[in-house]
């Protein structure tokens, strides 16, 4: 049987690698310990991609189910013991994604080219406008098992 190293989860041979480095308006920097919370929400939308490098079927209007996860990080919890109220983060994410739900993404201002990357940048701008700086954003099309991750600087 495998022996457990002190402080490591069962079966772990070494400590988990840091997932990312962040520098944001809260003074976090590379290599610093931090707390990160996340909330997820989904939306359904259609789009088309007019990219020279893309496959021909990308140019036809088609729809997807999307799942977005937004994370917020801080070096330490606030006086209430939180990075941020998870309910507030979830509510903000749902409000933002409601603008995309059952829409043709190409018709949404700022998403004329609705790639994963541009959708994440659009979500980041909406979160920042609401006073929240995400540390990590993920978008996924679960039925296709496709995903993109954005870690803002």
């Amino acid at each position: 049987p495998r022996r457990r190293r002190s402080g490591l989860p069962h079966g772990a041979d070494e400590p988990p690698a840091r997932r990312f480095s962040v520098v944001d308006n809260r003074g976090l920097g590379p290599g610093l310990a931090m707390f990160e919370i996340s909330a997820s929400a989904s939306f359904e939308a259609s789009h088309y991609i007019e990219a020279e490098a893309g496959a021909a079927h990308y140019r036809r209007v088609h729809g997807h189910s999307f799942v977005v996860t937004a994370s917020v990080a801080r070096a330490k919890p606030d006086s209430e013991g939180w990075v941020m109220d998870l309910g507030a983060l979830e509510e903000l994410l749902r409000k933002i994604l409601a603008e995309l739900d059952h829409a043709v993404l190409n018709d949404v201002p700022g998403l004329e080219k609705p790639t994963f990357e541009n959708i994440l940048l659009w979500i980041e701008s909406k979160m920042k406008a609401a006073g929240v700086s995400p540390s990590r954003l993920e978008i996924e099309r679960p039925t296709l098992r496709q995903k993109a991750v954005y870690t803002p600087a």
Side-chain angles (χ1 to χ4, degrees):
R2 191 179 252 182
R3 300 177 107 195
R4 286 183 62 181
R5 290 175 150 182
S6 175
L8 295 177
H10 181 68
D13 292 324
E14 58 188 56
R18 291 200 188 278
R19 292 193 340 218
F20 58 92
S21 295
V22 174
V23 177
D24 75 3
N25 62 1
R26 292 180 186 90
L28 298 175
L32 295 178
M34 73 177 92
F35 292 87
E36 183 179 59
I37 61 165
S38 302
S40 297
S42 61
F43 69 98
E44 311 287 329
S46 62
H47 72 148
Y48 56 92
I49 304 290
E50 293 180 338
E52 292 296 320
H57 67 273
Y58 293 172
R59 293 181 184 95
R60 292 193 305 262
V61 175
H62 58 281
H64 296 286
S65 296
F66 295 88
V67 176
V68 175
T69 301
S71 302
V72 176
R74 288 177 64 116
K76 61 182 183 176
D78 64 15
S79 62
E80 298 292 329
W82 294 346
V83 168
M84 178 182 176
D85 177 348
L86 267 168
L89 177 59
E90 185 176 36
E91 182 180 328
L92 174 61
L93 183 60
R94 286 180 187 215
K95 180 181 174 187
I96 291 168
L97 297 184
E99 296 181 49
L100 306 180
D101 196 36
H102 290 88
V104 177
L105 296 178
N106 304 70
D107 295 341
V108 175
L111 284 179
E112 293 78 13
K113 293 185 178 189
T115 61
F116 267 173
E117 296 85 348
N118 286 336
I119 295 169
L120 291 175
L121 290 170
W122 184 89
I123 293 168
E124 177 194 31
S125 72
K126 295 289 186 172
M127 289 182 72
K128 284 186 168 184
V132 177
S133 294
S135 59
R136 179 180 178 92
L137 290 168
E138 300 179 25
I139 189 167
E140 180 178 6
R141 292 189 290 231
T143 57
L144 298 175
R145 297 187 176 138
Q146 297 173 334
K147 179 179 183 177
V149 177
Y150 172 50
T151 52

